[in-house]
Amino acid sequence: MKPLKRIHHSTAMHWVGNGFPVRSVFDYNGLGRELSPFLLLDYAPPYDFPPGGAKEKRGVGAHPHKGFETVTVAYQGELEHRDSSGGGGKIGPGDVQWMTAGRGIVHEEFHSAAFTQKGGRLQMAQLWVNLRAVDKKAAPRYQTLLQKDIPTVTLPNEAGSLRVIAGDYSTTTGPAKTYSPIQLWDVSLKAGQDVTLPVPEGHTTAFLLLQGMVTIHGDADAKEGDLAIFERQGQSLTLHAKEEARLLLMAGEPLNEPIAGHGPFVMNTYEEIEAAFDEFQRGEMGGL
């Protein structure tokens, strides 16, 4: 088994734009280096929005990114994305959007017009995935991964289910195209059930508990909003669901490269960060 390193607690809620009340689980200035290739994780727990006006927009307007990927998992509510590469789309419950900023992109993220006007419950998570130095030069790319295209596997002994967003579980492969080896799984567990999840030897591994409570390796409890972080050695995790539970599990090959980050840019040196700001100011990342 991969030994549990520690359980990390999220920060208090704050707003990103006017549409995303989030908890910062970790960022590249904190755990981002330890959790390579994962840079940042924001979690928007269930939040009820009232109906909005016909012209109201809720979310975050045009802003740049460079050097990494953003992965948004929708559990409740609807999100619309548009970017300067021509990518874009709408995601709802069960869908995922995977945007590669690469050499530079400008994008916006808003609640869908229909969801804004009707109101309702929003719940989402956004993960930033770092790119190797050579891949930071890649052309921007956008992937809409709809629920119907994300395979679901029944766990042994019918302990629950696992959706393979990226990577592999047993013989099932997820639809996301990644630049480095990554497992991203949406796991649901039935109350009172036990499960052993296989994860790659040597990979950074962690999970965010979205619902319920689980016991890890029989001796440590994680509750809603907790991030469980594991040592890299070992090839499995053993969980007991003390109540119905849902978690987002991430595992990835460490990149072992320097991280220099500032705001929306994550590169390998601060000289590259300065260059990224210059490129954005010159309009080289495009516009909306």
Side-chain angles (χ1 to χ4, degrees):
M1 293 187 295
K2 284 187 182 288
L4 176 67
K5 183 180 289 188
R6 65 181 177 280
I7 293 176
H8 176 74
H9 304 291
S10 308
T11 65
M13 191 196 81
H14 69 279
W15 284 85
V16 175
N18 67 345
F20 303 107
V22 306
R23 301 176 190 167
S24 292
V25 182
F26 66 89
D27 63 28
Y28 55 74
N29 287 319
L31 298 178
R33 289 165 174 79
E34 176 183 346
L35 295 181
S36 174
F38 308 112
L39 292 167
L40 176 149
L41 179 60
D42 279 347
Y43 174 49
Y47 186 93
D48 292 318
F49 283 86
K55 296 184 178 181
E56 185 175 355
K57 299 184 76 172
R58 293 170 174 166
V60 183
H63 59 284
H65 287 302
K66 182 177 181 178
F68 60 95
E69 303 181 288
T70 66
V71 182
T72 305
V73 183
Y75 299 100
Q76 301 182 80
E78 289 184 344
L79 178 69
E80 288 185 332
H81 165 98
R82 188 166 66 102
D83 66 51
S84 56
S85 75
K90 180 172 69 174
I91 60 171
D95 301 336
V96 177
Q97 67 175 25
W98 198 298
M99 185 192 79
T100 303
R103 64 186 180 221
I105 200 169
V106 175
H107 79 141
E108 64 180 21
E109 300 166 289
F110 287 102
H111 297 187
S112 72
F115 182 71
T116 298
Q117 291 179 34
K118 185 173 70 172
R121 179 163 293 181
L122 181 83
Q123 182 186 16
M124 297 191 178
Q126 185 172 91
L127 177 68
W128 290 14
V129 180
N130 203 5
L131 293 170
R132 300 184 183 99
V134 65
D135 296 323
K136 291 179 184 293
K137 302 172 186 176
R141 181 174 70 187
Y142 178 80
Q143 302 174 69
T144 298
L145 311 175
L146 299 178
Q147 182 178 31
K148 66 181 180 65
D149 299 320
I150 299 173
T152 299
V153 179
T154 299
L155 293 170
N157 302 316
E158 297 187 351
S161 61
L162 184 153
R163 296 198 312 142
V164 187
I165 299 168
D168 302 282
Y169 175 82
S170 185
T171 59
T172 301
T173 299
K177 299 175 183 177
T178 68
Y179 281 87
S180 61
I182 290 170
Q183 315 290 327
L184 187 63
W185 300 340
D186 176 18
V187 183
S188 297
L189 301 176
K190 297 178 182 177
Q193 296 297 309
D194 298 289
V195 67
T196 297
L197 299 174
V199 284
E201 174 73 35
H203 282 206
T204 298
T205 304
F207 70 75
L208 173 67
L209 194 63
L210 305 166
Q211 173 190 339
M213 181 178 291
V214 300
T215 301
I216 303 166
H217 299 337
D219 61 7
D221 288 339
K223 63 183 185 303
E224 186 270 336
D226 284 348
L227 181 76
I229 303 171
F230 297 86
E231 302 287 353
R232 289 176 179 164
Q233 70 268 23
Q235 299 178 354
S236 65
L237 312 178
T238 299
L239 307 177
H240 171 76
K242 302 184 78 169
E243 54 195 59
E244 185 176 340
R246 189 169 191 177
L247 57 96
L248 182 65
L249 184 144
M250 62 206 78
E253 183 179 80
L255 301 189
N256 297 320
E257 293 184 351
I259 295 175
H262 188 88
F265 305 133
V266 181
M267 303 299 291
N268 299 105
T269 69
Y270 284 101
E271 290 76 14
E272 291 172 321
I273 294 292
E274 292 175 357
F277 276 103
D278 288 341
E279 291 162 12
F280 171 60
Q281 294 294 334
R282 292 195 299 267
E284 294 179 12
M285 296 182 188
L288 298 176

